[in-house]
Amino acid sequence: MIRQAKGKTPRRPPPKKPSNNQKDPVGVYCRVRPLGAEDVECCIEVISNTTIQLHAPDGLKANRNGEFKETQYSFKKVFGIKTTQGELFEDVAKPLVEDIIHCKNGLLFTYGVTGSGKTYTMTGSPGQGGLLPRSLDMIFNSIGPYQAKRYVFKPDDKNGMEVQNQVDALLDRQKRDSQTTVPKTPTTRRIDPEFADMISPEEACKADGVDEDSSYSVFVSYIEIYNNYIYDLLEETPIDPIKPKWNGAGTPLRNNTEFIPPQSKILREDQNHNMYVAGCTEVEVKSTEEAFEVFWRGQKKRRIANTQLNRESSRSHSVFIIKLAQAPLDADGDNVLQDKNQVNVSQLCLVDLAGSERTSRTRAEGSRLREAGNINQSLMTLRTCIEVLRENQMCGTNKMVPYRDSKVTHLFKNYFDGEGKVRMVVCVNPKADDYEETLLVMRFAEMTQEVEVARPVDRPICGFAAGRRQRNQAFKEELTRRLEERGGPVDESPTVLNQLLQSFPPLPPCVISGPNDDVTLPRLIEALEKRHKIRHMMIEEYNKTAKMLKSVLQEQDSNLLSKENFIQEQRGKLGEKEKMIQNQKNEIDRLEKKSKMLEYKIDILQKTTNIYEEDKRSLQQELESREQRLQREMSEKRRVETRMQGIVTDAKLKWEKECERRVNAKQLEMQNKLWVKDEKLKQLKAIVTEGKTENRQPQRPSRENDKVPAKRSASPSPVPTGPPVRPLHRRSHSAGGERWVDHKPTTNVDLDTVLQPNIPNAIKVNAPNEKALSKCDKYVLTHQEVASDGEIQTKLIKGEVFKTRGGGQAVQFTDIETLKQENPVASSRKRRSSGTGPDGETMEGDWTDVETRCSVALEMRAGSNLGPGYQHHGYPKRRKP
Ligand code: ADP
Ligand code: MG
């Protein structure tokens, strides 16, 4: 019995992307593979089920300041070398498969250095299937009984999914069966031994909560991104004998085999802003085996292309996309509802990324080097995108994430931008050679963990009552049973129908008695018409009820929907509030910490202030004491200044006086000399004129007339010729009251004459001294000199002793008396009194002539032997000419 698909159910607005506030960090897992047989040094240690520790290998340790470097990295979970593929799947991929079945997208990629076990983790090896075959298996285990017939779901070319009607689907199926080239369902075929062991049925997993009232279909695509070109690995490339065989880079192939180089594909954005590979083959698969076979086909193609084009497989990214289309069954629970808006497509991307190492592991020369650069570029872009995302999320910035810089990131843009679960398995090889690369991998992984992706929300359920499939199933089962009971095919109805028929008024006997029987037929017709009427009425009633029920159901449905929406909203709000509370808490924590910090700072500042104040006090004290000292020194200075001024005026006065006195003495001496010369001249004149004028008396020179003639006394200067004496001076008539200092230089010649001055009561000295001067009040110097006529001339130079203001003695010369006598030592001693002794020594200082000696004023201070005056006149350079 073929039932027509029911008329369209009232349309609901297309499910808007519900605004979702909840986010989850990218789940990063770490898998450590066992050390290879050839490797000895291990630089990774699993220290807990979330943390690993890296040790710098021995060689590196020496290079880096010789220090032992250990770093720890934490992940959502760490899988050690003993982890089985099943255990890994359980933790990492199972939740993603559950998600895809519940209409949520997922992205799972492996990241790591070449040889770290990415492919092993993703694909696995015979007997140890990886995440990919296990995911496929779980999907089919979960949706197996609810799969739609082939070609019911049909991908449009815009990343969407359509629902074909039964007839078109049937025709497509027939077409497929007739094509011999297309592999048939694996159930009818022998499984390729190469991958037969990949899926072990005993480990079968199943998702919970699969919506039985939906119909499902799985589509797979397999692409490779190499050198930033996208290649479809499932594309059926017809053999073109005319077209020359070139590879993508424009270089001819090495050999002209059947190999057709793949054409690169481009990325497009669908109406929901999801990225997809335009024109990419999507193969509908109905079982794990079939799906894996398709994968293996692509894998083979990849291998061939790599060999043919001399590419390094570790440098390409492979992306296996599992698309799950699901649509609700119609109200009967029999067929897929033919409404594109009701079709949900979710996808799980399984990505085996290229090796993350910075340089090619094998020789990188020529064109390979360029390729290597590009491939690295993709991973670099991935890293940059993650970095920017993280920064945007953590700092609230809105930097542009450069998804478009590489195909890989561009393809996955929606996982990071939109919603979905993203998981990464970081594969590490613990060998020492990989240490530095592994460090980089770890850093990237740590960063990736900080990126958050919007949590996918639950899709609204469709408006039909649940359990449709089951009822339909039960109905069909019952029907079959009944048919079997009858022992043959009946086009009649099940029990319910019979019962219904029995409730109608019984049919009149319908045996026609004869050709004239015109009662039976009309009666039958009447009865049938009655029945028809009843049936009609019942149908109407039924439709009415159905309509009513439908509207009630719809109402309920919309009520439910709005309630759900409300709940969702409230949940979102709650989440927001919780976040706010958390933020506040964090803020409080931060502020508390800050206040503690500030208190501590205040404490320190207080202490510092105290110290400074102490310093200030002591400095002030010092300043005061210094000021006092300064004051004292100033007053002392002033005192000294005044004293010095007094001394200076004293000295000035004294010297003025002294100068005056000397000038006087000199004047006097000069006058005396003049007078002596005059006298001599007169005497000479008298002698000359003696003969002419007898008894003529010598006359004084006119200028001496005003002076009182000197009263000659016997002592101390008996002058026979009566030399002039200054009238101002008292002559010493007797020695009785006066004490004399009799200064006779040792150089004097003993003349032994009457003219020898003899002063009683005198203190005789060779050189004047203060002691003698202090005792006396008169002074006489006996000075000898050879005159021009050869006679010795003795001069008595007299003076008075004064007490000076400074407490010394001064002599003021007042008189000179000259005595003449023949030189007893003749000419040899003529210059004796000039001061030079017989042995040539300077005697008596430089008292060379009488003028000089007369000018001497001796001043002797108390306590000193030689006064300034003495000293002054004793120097030869000061000798007067
Ligand atoms: P990748 O894809 O990262 O370059 P592979 O997955 O090809 O590395 O792994 C390199 C080799 O190491 C393979 O022979 C693989 O079988 C082995 N291997 C990797 N991880 C494991 C593991 N966890 N247990 C056992 N063997 C592993
Ligand atoms: Mg690999």
Side-chain angles (χ1 to χ4, degrees):
M1 190 170 96
I2 296 168
R3 289 198 199 177
Q4 280 301 131
K6 279 272 152 61
K8 287 191 179 170
T9 44
R11 264 205 184 185
R12 275 190 294 178
K16 267 192 292 172
K17 250 190 194 160
S19 54
N20 184 14
N21 296 318
Q22 279 171 308
K23 287 190 161 198
D24 294 309
V26 173
V28 179
Y29 299 84
C30 177
R31 185 184 209 182
V32 185
R33 59 157 280 184
L35 207 59
E38 69 281 3
D39 300 307
V40 270
E41 200 185 344
C42 175
C43 61
I44 292 173
E45 196 187 324
V46 179
I47 54 174
S48 79
N49 62 354
T50 53
T51 312
I52 63 164
Q53 183 163 294
L54 261 71
H55 315 272
D58 287 334
L60 266 181
K61 266 176 241 162
N63 289 344
R64 303 225 169 135
N65 345 317
E67 68 187 46
F68 192 77
K69 220 176 143 202
E70 282 178 351
T71 36
Q72 291 192 353
Y73 296 93
S74 291
F75 302 96
K76 197 164 177 185
K77 199 157 182 187
V78 170
F79 300 97
I81 54 170
K82 289 193 180 125
T83 313
T84 63
Q85 299 277 58
E87 284 162 3
L88 185 83
F89 173 78
E90 192 77 24
D91 277 318
V92 180
K94 202 174 167 183
L96 293 176
V97 176
E98 267 165 2
D99 274 3
I100 188 183
I101 287 167
H102 296 112
C103 304
K104 296 169 189 174
N105 294 336
L107 169 65
L108 172 62
F109 57 94
T110 52
Y111 185 90
V113 178
T114 297
S116 59
K118 296 185 298 295
T119 308
Y120 178 81
T121 298
M122 194 54 89
T123 312
S125 58
Q128 272 141 2
L131 299 176
L132 188 145
R134 281 169 198 273
S135 299
L136 285 171
D137 200 39
M138 182 171 164
I139 292 171
F140 284 107
N141 286 338
S142 312
I143 61 156
Y146 318 124
Q147 286 193 77
K149 287 204 175 99
R150 211 181 285 270
Y151 302 128
V152 168
F153 288 101
K154 193 181 181 188
D156 60 9
D157 288 334
K158 302 174 206 84
N159 206 31
M161 202 61 85
E162 281 169 348
V163 184
Q164 286 208 107
N165 64 47
Q166 302 277 356
V167 183
D168 288 346
L170 182 69
L171 285 174
D172 277 354
R173 278 201 294 277
Q174 280 169 357
K175 201 166 105 190
R176 176 179 184 263
D177 289 341
S178 66
Q179 278 174 354
T180 45
T181 50
V182 181
K184 285 189 176 174
T185 9
T187 38
T188 59
R189 287 158 35 94
R190 201 172 49 84
I191 297 170
D192 191 333
E194 224 184 327
F195 61 87
D197 285 341
M198 289 291 208
I199 306 131
S200 39
E202 60 270 18
E203 283 180 292
C205 282
K206 209 174 159 195
D208 295 325
V210 181
D211 181 13
E212 293 179 6
D213 291 319
S214 283
S215 206
Y216 301 84
S217 227
V218 178
F219 294 82
V220 293
S221 335
Y222 193 18
I223 58 165
E224 178 181 38
I225 302 175
Y226 187 90
N227 206 13
N228 214 23
Y229 285 109
I230 301 174
Y231 299 104
D232 181 0
L233 292 173
L234 303 181
E235 196 170 35
E236 302 285 340
T237 35
I239 295 154
D240 186 351
I242 305 154
K243 229 176 152 187
K245 293 159 182 66
W246 297 85
N247 68 10
T251 37
L253 289 177
R254 289 188 302 182
N255 50 3
N256 230 7
T257 56
E258 281 188 1
F259 175 75
I260 303 284
Q263 289 296 305
S264 68
K265 303 276 179 206
I266 56 158
L267 287 177
R268 284 230 176 96
E269 196 178 89
D270 68 12
Q271 56 178 14
N272 298 320
H273 308 290
N274 289 319
M275 297 310 299
Y276 70 100
V277 181
C280 181
T281 314
E282 291 176 289
V283 181
E284 187 175 11
V285 285
K286 292 286 158 210
S287 70
T288 312
E289 289 76 14
E290 190 190 350
F292 200 74
E293 196 201 330
V294 171
F295 167 76
W296 210 248
R297 187 149 41 95
Q299 192 77 345
K300 267 187 193 160
K301 195 163 171 184
R302 187 177 167 203
R303 243 182 276 155
I304 292 167
N306 283 341
T307 350
Q308 293 285 337
L309 301 171
N310 192 21
R311 303 194 306 203
E312 213 177 307
S313 67
S314 69
R315 318 234 108 239
S316 73
H317 317 278
S318 75
V319 185
F320 189 73
I321 303 166
I322 307 172
K323 246 185 200 176
L324 181 68
Q326 53 185 299
L329 289 175
D330 59 14
D332 296 341
D334 192 14
N335 287 314
V336 180
L337 189 70
Q338 276 214 319
D339 180 2
K340 197 176 176 180
N341 292 317
Q342 293 290 336
V343 180
N344 261 311
V345 181
S346 46
Q347 65 174 34
L348 174 62
C349 275
L350 301 171
V351 188
D352 186 359
L353 285 175
S356 68
E357 60 273 5
R358 286 163 293 186
T359 47
S360 173
R361 289 252 144 166
T362 58
R363 70 229 132 79
E365 11 164 277
S367 66
R368 272 208 192 188
L369 200 64
R370 184 168 48 83
E371 292 163 10
N374 251 330
I375 288 153
N376 272 341
Q377 195 59 47
S378 317
L379 286 183
M380 211 134 90
T381 310
L382 177 66
R383 286 191 281 263
T384 314
C385 289
I386 296 278
E387 249 169 64
V388 176
L389 269 169
R390 175 168 149 267
E391 201 189 320
N392 281 350
Q393 290 176 359
M394 291 180 113
C395 314
T397 49
N398 198 17
K399 275 194 193 167
M400 213 262 290
V401 185
Y403 295 114
R404 284 164 186 274
D405 288 1
S406 92
K407 294 282 192 289
V408 179
T409 48
H410 201 188
L411 184 61
F412 300 139
K413 175 173 172 283
N414 261 89
Y415 285 98
F416 294 103
D417 252 10
E419 51 166 60
K421 210 173 255 174
V422 182
R423 289 193 167 182
M424 172 167 91
V425 182
V426 175
C427 297
V428 282
N429 189 341
K431 70 172 176 179
D433 294 352
D434 280 2
Y435 174 74
E436 293 206 48
E437 294 292 348
T438 305
L439 267 184
L440 297 179
V441 171
M442 291 296 132
R443 273 176 214 150
F444 171 68
E446 280 215 317
M447 189 174 65
T448 309
Q449 289 190 99
E450 289 170 359
V451 172
E452 289 190 326
V453 176
R455 185 183 295 178
V457 289
D458 292 313
R459 308 273 154 185
I461 49 163
C462 89
F464 298 121
R468 302 189 297 286
R469 185 188 290 274
Q470 223 163 26
R471 278 198 301 279
N472 184 267
Q473 208 79 25
F475 175 78
K476 277 182 182 163
E477 273 165 20
E478 181 66 19
L479 188 63
T480 336
R481 197 179 56 78
R482 295 269 172 110
L483 285 174
E484 276 166 3
E485 259 176 22
R486 294 257 178 118
V490 232
D491 54 349
E492 252 317 305
S493 42
T495 7
V496 199
L497 211 62
N498 280 339
Q499 277 166 7
L500 197 70
L501 285 174
Q502 276 158 20
S503 65
F504 284 132
L507 283 178
C510 41
V511 182
I512 297 166
S513 49
N516 299 327
D517 188 0
D518 50 352
V519 182
T520 315
L521 268 178
R523 214 187 283 157
L524 192 65
I525 286 168
E526 195 188 341
L528 282 174
E529 266 174 357
K530 216 174 184 178
R531 274 192 171 205
H532 187 254
K533 226 182 221 165
I534 290 169
R535 184 172 165 248
H536 204 76
M537 269 162 59
M538 279 174 83
I539 284 172
E540 262 178 13
E541 191 66 24
Y542 172 79
N543 278 348
K544 229 192 217 161
T545 319
K547 231 181 215 165
M548 212 177 71
L549 209 69
K550 215 172 188 175
S551 66
V552 168
L553 276 175
Q554 267 167 12
E555 207 174 289
Q556 297 283 336
D557 195 34
S558 62
N559 271 351
L560 199 73
L561 214 81
S562 68
K563 286 225 166 92
E564 257 169 16
N565 282 346
F566 180 72
I567 286 170
Q568 201 67 39
E569 223 170 76
Q570 293 301 320
R571 262 197 207 135
K573 274 184 191 163
L574 198 73
E576 251 171 54
K577 288 262 151 46
E578 263 168 10
K579 230 178 216 171
M580 250 162 71
I581 288 169
Q582 194 57 45
N583 282 350
Q584 299 283 336
K585 268 186 194 158
N586 289 348
E587 184 64 16
I588 286 169
D589 272 7
R590 198 180 62 78
L591 287 174
E592 265 173 8
K593 259 184 211 159
K594 203 171 157 187
S595 95
K596 244 181 221 160
M597 189 74 192
L598 286 174
E599 268 168 19
Y600 177 70
K601 268 187 190 165
I602 287 170
D603 219 42
I604 288 178
L605 285 173
Q606 199 80 51
K607 276 178 192 159
T608 320
T609 313
N610 287 347
I611 291 171
Y612 278 138
E613 263 169 11
E614 198 70 37
D615 276 7
K616 192 181 144 196
R617 262 201 294 281
S618 69
L619 283 171
Q620 260 170 353
Q621 273 171 9
E622 203 185 319
L623 191 73
E624 270 164 25
S625 72
R626 278 187 189 204
E627 263 172 5
Q628 278 169 6
R629 220 165 68 200
L630 195 72
Q631 216 73 44
R632 274 204 305 277
E633 275 168 9
M634 293 272 274
S635 62
E636 177 73 12
K637 201 178 131 198
R638 271 199 294 277
R639 212 170 55 75
V640 170
E641 249 174 36
T642 45
R643 218 182 72 196
M644 288 320 263
Q645 263 168 7
I647 291 171
V648 166
T649 33
D650 272 5
K652 208 170 132 192
L653 269 171
K654 197 179 76 194
W655 282 110
E656 269 170 13
K657 223 168 160 187
E658 174 68 18
C659 284
E660 204 182 292
R661 197 189 53 72
R662 279 187 199 175
V663 168
N664 287 344
K666 195 77 189 166
Q667 252 175 11
L668 190 69
E669 193 198 327
M670 295 319 265
Q671 267 176 5
N672 279 346
K673 268 187 179 174
L674 208 66
W675 186 79
V676 168
K677 276 189 182 142
D678 275 358
E679 206 58 33
K680 274 183 186 171
L681 214 63
K682 266 184 201 167
Q683 281 174 8
L684 206 65
K685 207 174 157 187
I687 292 165
V688 170
T689 54
E690 208 173 357
K692 294 173 197 175
T693 50
E694 288 281 351
N695 299 323
R696 200 175 153 183
Q697 290 297 309
Q699 282 194 331
R700 281 179 179 266
S702 57
R703 50 182 167 164
E704 292 291 324
N705 287 344
D706 56 329
K707 286 181 185 172
V708 184
K711 263 198 247 172
R712 286 292 187 189
S713 68
S715 62
S717 49
V719 184
T721 49
V725 174
R726 272 172 58 177
L728 294 174
H729 281 272
R730 182 175 52 91
R731 243 172 228 276
S732 49
H733 302 281
S734 74
E738 295 163 345
R739 268 180 79 87
W740 287 82
V741 175
D742 186 6
H743 179 193
K744 279 200 177 95
T746 46
T747 48
N748 282 8
V749 176
D750 195 0
L751 293 174
D752 204 16
T753 62
V754 274
L755 285 174
Q756 198 74 254
N758 184 21
I759 310 159
N761 211 9
I763 298 169
K764 286 190 167 64
V765 291
N766 292 331
N769 62 59
E770 202 211 355
K771 200 178 159 196
L773 286 170
S774 68
K775 286 178 185 163
C776 304
D777 47 6
K778 295 278 186 180
Y779 172 91
V780 63
L781 167 70
T782 313
H783 174 69
Q784 289 182 334
E785 142 177 294
V786 179
S788 53
D789 50 7
E791 281 181 3
I792 290 178
Q793 202 173 57
T794 301
K795 283 183 182 169
L796 297 175
I797 302 154
K798 293 176 191 166
E800 279 177 23
V801 179
F802 293 102
K803 287 214 182 338
T804 60
R805 225 195 291 179
Q809 318 291 332
V811 177
Q812 188 171 11
F813 293 97
T814 52
D815 203 359
I816 297 176
E817 286 181 24
T818 308
L819 306 170
K820 252 187 184 180
Q821 195 174 9
E822 207 177 322
N823 188 1
V825 283
S827 56
S828 66
R829 304 280 296 185
K830 253 189 176 176
R831 300 232 68 83
R832 174 118 185 231
S833 62
S834 67
T836 311
D839 37 8
E841 278 178 12
T842 304
M843 322 232 348
E844 271 281 297
D846 286 287
W847 297 68
T848 52
D849 52 46
V850 72
E851 291 89 342
T852 310
R853 291 185 192 196
C854 278
S855 71
V856 165
L858 283 174
E859 183 185 281
M860 289 201 172
R861 273 178 185 236
S864 76
N865 286 328
L866 301 168
Y870 179 87
Q871 217 171 7
H872 176 76
H873 295 285
Y875 279 112
K877 55 187 169 183
R878 295 289 181 130
R879 197 189 305 159
K880 298 216 168 153

